[in-house]
Amino acid sequence: RPSRRSEPIKQHVEFTTSPAGLPNLPTDQTNMVVRALTLFRNKLTERDGGSLAVPRFRAHLVKLLPLDAGLGGAASNAATALFGANELCGRPASAKELCEWASELGSDVVSFLAGTGTAVCSGRAVFLRAEHVAPLAPLTQDPFFVITLELGPWSTPALFRGLAATDSGTDSKSGVSIGTEALLAAFGANRDTALALPDDAALYVNDLEEPASRCHPELAMVRERLLMREHFCVAAMSGAGPSLFAFGRPDGNETDGAFADRFARECT
């Protein structure tokens, strides 16, 4: 079957992106924004038998997050497109319908429709459905850093192949299994206040980090530097990588911007 990248975008969606010329960013109907808007139109047509006049959409994507970085950029773009289309059309779809439709776009799109920016998801990611996503209170605005790395070819399937089933949900350093309830309690999810980021590194477990570090030792080196030389409380891989997030840096004479510039120079 020919790749869908060679097919033109259907006339009911006009789509542009910036900055121009980003490598590997699809601008045809394989882009998640176009897929979300197309799905929205199709779902309304199927539900209402064509009785509801769904307008054409013109969408412009300003791509700020790096591609394939494990930061949920494409999924959040799709969720935003779904939500925005529904708002522009006068909310013809319920919140429940939007979540159900989002599940057809990808395993993590529905998590970005929680409404608070924070959600707890359970089950297997490839089978994630709306009933497996529960919104939480928003996180406090504690300063944290996201470090994006360019480590050459990055294969998420290879990481999963290197993941031992017995390692799932276990802190690789202590060997202690961390349950969902314990995590939620540590983040303060049982209180009616904004969630706080605890500085216990053992709570931030990403099962893919160990196979990623075996494939790309540079990842482990940067993480170790953040913890040992820069004295962050927490540094861990985001999603399927290769980005890292870090927070809990001691206060000093260096501003956040100065640190970011220096760290980038020293790691180049």
Side-chain angles (χ1 to χ4, degrees):
R1 181 175 186 269
S3 170
R4 288 189 297 170
R5 287 175 180 260
S6 62
E7 300 176 7
I9 296 177
K10 301 298 186 280
Q11 292 186 355
H12 54 247
V13 177
E14 182 179 329
F15 181 64
T16 55
T17 64
S18 62
L22 284 177
N24 302 320
L25 175 64
T27 56
D28 56 13
Q29 68 177 33
T30 62
N31 188 281
M32 290 293 284
V33 171
V34 179
R35 289 182 58 198
L37 295 176
T38 301
L39 178 72
F40 181 78
R41 297 185 88 260
N42 291 342
K43 288 295 185 181
L44 288 182
T45 300
E46 293 172 6
R47 188 193 69 182
D48 302 317
S51 61
L52 179 65
V54 183
R56 293 178 58 200
F57 293 107
R58 179 185 294 119
H60 180 77
L61 172 63
V62 180
K63 194 66 176 176
L64 299 178
L65 292 179
L67 277 68
D68 300 323
L71 297 174
S76 60
N77 292 159
T80 301
L82 269 181
F83 180 83
N86 195 48
E87 291 294 304
L88 289 171
C89 292
R91 301 181 183 175
S94 67
K96 180 180 179 181
E97 286 177 314
L98 282 184
C99 288
E100 291 173 350
W101 300 348
S103 299
E104 299 184 23
L105 290 170
S107 62
D108 50 354
V109 177
V110 65
S111 66
F112 289 98
L113 286 171
T116 63
T118 312
V120 58
C121 306
S122 59
R124 295 177 60 185
V126 292
F127 300 117
L128 186 63
R129 293 294 181 263
E131 60 269 22
H132 298 148
V133 178
L136 299 174
L139 284 169
T140 56
Q141 297 300 310
D142 293 334
F144 67 93
F145 293 85
V146 174
I147 298 91
T148 58
L149 306 175
E150 296 182 2
L151 300 179
W154 190 267
S155 172
T156 300
L159 301 187
F160 277 97
R161 287 194 296 270
L163 178 64
T166 54
D167 290 340
S168 180
T170 302
D171 175 16
S172 59
K173 293 183 178 180
S174 66
V176 177
S177 179
I178 302 173
T180 302
E181 294 302 321
L183 283 174
L184 292 177
F187 278 78
N190 56 346
R191 299 190 297 268
D192 295 329
T193 58
L195 302 185
L197 291 171
D199 57 7
D200 183 357
L203 296 171
Y204 300 86
V205 178
N206 187 338
D207 296 323
L208 293 177
E209 189 171 302
E210 188 171 338
S213 296
R214 290 197 298 266
C215 294
H216 297 274
E218 308 97 315
L219 179 76
M221 293 172 59
V222 173
R223 179 179 178 273
E224 192 70 11
R225 181 186 179 118
L226 288 167
L227 293 171
M228 304 305 296
R229 292 185 57 179
E230 304 296 343
H231 306 294
F232 281 90
C233 293
V234 172
M237 190 173 78
S238 173
S243 295
L244 298 165
F245 67 91
F247 66 88
R249 181 169 172 261
D251 294 332
N253 297 325
E254 192 176 34
T255 65
D256 291 346
F259 162 75
D261 292 340
R262 175 181 61 80
F263 193 78
R265 289 195 308 271
E266 294 177 355
C267 290
T268 300

